[in-house]
């Protein structure tokens, strides 16, 4: 079984998505996503915002899934997961700024 570096893969996907998604949407909804896991045929990312799941699923899910599949060279399911821990971490970082 092939092992991939999900962080590197996600960085490569982000570079491709930057060309496909308008900058305000890319910065607001896509950049904050954090790669979480890749197993068999599913690549998942974490978000700190439930609203992001709705917006991405409605507007960007297909392009993200197709871009991940292209990058990995096979059909991949894409999933977004809400993470309370990530939300808390981002709130702490915002307070420090």
């Amino acid at each position: 079984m092939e092992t991939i570096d999900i962080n590197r893969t996600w960085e490569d996907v982000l570079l491709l998505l930057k060309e496909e998604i308008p900058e305000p949407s890319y910065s607001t909804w896509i950049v904050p996503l954090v790669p979480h896991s890749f197993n068999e045929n599913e690549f998942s990312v974490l978000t700190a915002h439930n609203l992001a799941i709705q917006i991405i699923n409605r507007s960007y899910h297909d392009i993200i899934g197709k871009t991940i599949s292209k990058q990995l060279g096979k059909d991949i399911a894409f999933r977004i997961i809400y993470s309370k821990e990530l939300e808390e971490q981002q709130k702490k970082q915002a307070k420090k700024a």
Side-chain angles (χ1 to χ4, degrees):
M1 185 163 108
E2 178 185 359
T3 303
I4 68 158
D5 178 343
I6 64 169
N7 292 315
R8 178 69 183 150
T9 298
W10 184 244
E11 288 173 15
D12 293 343
V13 167
L14 286 176
L15 290 173
L16 296 170
L17 291 174
K18 189 172 187 173
E19 303 299 319
E20 302 292 328
I21 297 174
E23 175 55 34
S25 296
Y26 174 80
S27 296
T28 302
W29 304 114
I30 309 304
V31 171
L33 298 174
V34 176
H36 175 61
S37 67
F38 173 71
N39 51 21
E40 296 299 318
N41 294 315
E42 182 180 270
F43 192 99
S44 63
V45 296
L46 300 177
T47 181
H49 306 283
N50 276 317
L51 180 61
I53 295 171
Q54 297 169 16
I55 291 171
I56 292 167
N57 280 337
R58 183 180 64 234
S59 301
Y60 305 111
H61 189 275
D62 287 347
I63 187 69
I64 295 170
K66 287 177 184 176
T67 303
I68 293 169
S69 293
K70 181 180 176 182
Q71 191 65 28
L72 295 175
K74 62 180 182 176
D75 286 338
I76 300 294
F78 170 64
R79 185 166 66 122
I80 308 166
I81 303 165
Y82 168 73
S83 170
K84 180 75 172 168
E85 293 83 18
L86 182 60
E87 179 183 19
E88 291 170 1
Q89 182 183 38
Q90 288 182 357
K91 284 180 180 178
K92 287 179 185 176
Q93 289 174 346
K95 286 180 182 179
K96 290 180 183 179

